[in-house]
Amino acid sequence: MDTPTPLTGQIAVVTGASRGIGAAIARKLASLGAHVVLTARDAAQLKHVDHQIRESGGLADCYPCDLADVRQLESFSSRVLKAHARCDILVNNAGIGWFEGPLHSMALDAWEHLMAINLRAPYLLLQAFAPAMIEARRGHIINISSLASKNPVPNAAAYAASKWGLNGLMVSAAEELRQHQVRVSLVAPGSVQTEFASGLAAKKSALGAIQPEDIANIVALLATQADQCFVSEVLVRPTLKS
């Protein structure tokens, strides 16, 4: 980063931005000068993050949206493009988990809801915003995956499958889009101290769980890479293995 605000003038869309990793990413990108568009289901918490960014001198808009609802997702992306006519950075962060038992005990509706948010939504958002990036001949799609996509995780088969799917989806999309100077990256964290998975990581030691800000710093690094290169994938592990 050659300047304190290298993202000035860029529009950054962050999903799942109401708390945890998404909120940290939104605040970080705003601090680097981006105009951040926040979306999540929790309207009140989303407004709180929006207020934090504005109080710090940043630029932000927030649009509550349930990404599992295709009509809401389409309306959200249309509103963003109508308001800003561009999208320079898309951070597919929104995700849910299901850790309540083995795969054979998982109900079909729970499976479909998880896949709708973790896998279908990134696909639809890429479809919505990639054309504007292609036209501008610049853009970066950053996807928050998980180390669950690399390792077997008992009682999390559906979650792991969604993240494996996200990896396959996006590494192939990267090859399709790089000819248009649109970059696609994956960030795969281990345990992060958030409310995700009922806050299990919060019970770990300070060095046994990643902080949301750690992931935000990595996203910032990816988003500010020089035009001639991009990082395809980053694996992030806590210092201590628990």
Side-chain angles (χ1 to χ4, degrees):
M1 301 180 195
D2 297 326
T3 68
T5 55
L7 300 180
T8 297
Q10 296 194 38
I11 303 299
V13 175
V14 182
T15 70
S18 61
R19 53 175 52 83
I21 294 173
I25 291 171
R27 290 190 293 262
K28 183 65 177 182
L29 295 182
S31 76
L32 296 176
H35 187 135
V36 183
V37 179
L38 318 167
T39 191
R41 288 175 294 177
D42 189 334
Q45 187 61 29
L46 198 65
K47 193 66 178 177
H48 174 67
V49 178
D50 177 278
H51 179 72
Q52 287 179 325
I53 291 172
R54 292 174 182 271
E55 282 287 292
S56 299
L59 299 172
D61 297 320
C62 63
Y63 299 94
C65 176
D66 181 357
L67 296 178
D69 185 320
V70 174
R71 289 186 179 180
Q72 285 192 41
L73 186 152
E74 291 174 343
S75 175
F76 162 70
S77 58
S78 294
R79 290 176 68 186
V80 173
L81 291 172
K82 183 177 181 180
H84 301 286
R86 63 188 299 171
C87 174
D88 301 285
I89 302 165
L90 167 62
V91 182
N92 286 314
N93 166 74
I96 60 172
W98 193 88
F99 309 99
E100 299 176 21
L103 185 62
H104 65 262
S105 68
M106 185 179 191
L108 178 60
D109 60 348
W111 165 278
E112 291 182 340
H113 184 62
L114 184 148
M115 291 298 173
I117 294 177
N118 292 10
L119 190 54
R120 188 179 70 191
Y123 146 67
L124 291 173
L125 289 166
L126 182 149
Q127 280 200 325
F129 292 119
M133 294 179 177
I134 290 170
E135 183 177 356
R137 294 199 66 78
R138 66 168 297 149
H140 206 146
I141 300 171
I142 301 172
N143 305 278
I144 307 304
S145 182
S146 169
L147 287 184
S149 69
K150 305 290 183 179
N151 307 310
V153 184
N155 297 324
Y159 176 71
S162 72
K163 294 302 184 179
W164 276 76
L166 180 67
N167 293 357
L169 188 78
M170 291 301 173
V171 295
S172 294
E175 291 303 304
E176 297 167 355
L177 293 172
R178 65 192 300 184
Q179 63 183 309
H180 303 291
Q181 298 174 214
V182 177
R183 302 180 284 187
V184 181
S185 302
L186 290 159
V187 180
S191 298
V192 182
Q193 285 193 324
T194 68
E195 298 175 9
F196 190 78
S198 301
L200 292 177
K203 302 173 184 177
K204 297 185 178 183
S205 67
L207 295 180
I210 303 156
Q211 297 300 314
E213 290 74 20
D214 298 327
I215 306 305
N217 289 336
I218 291 168
V219 170
L221 176 65
L222 297 177
T224 55
Q225 286 283 293
D227 290 341
Q228 72 272 15
C229 65
F230 73 101
V231 177
S232 298
E233 184 176 22
V234 181
L235 308 183
V236 190
R237 304 178 190 277
T239 299
L240 296 182
K241 186 175 182 179
S242 57

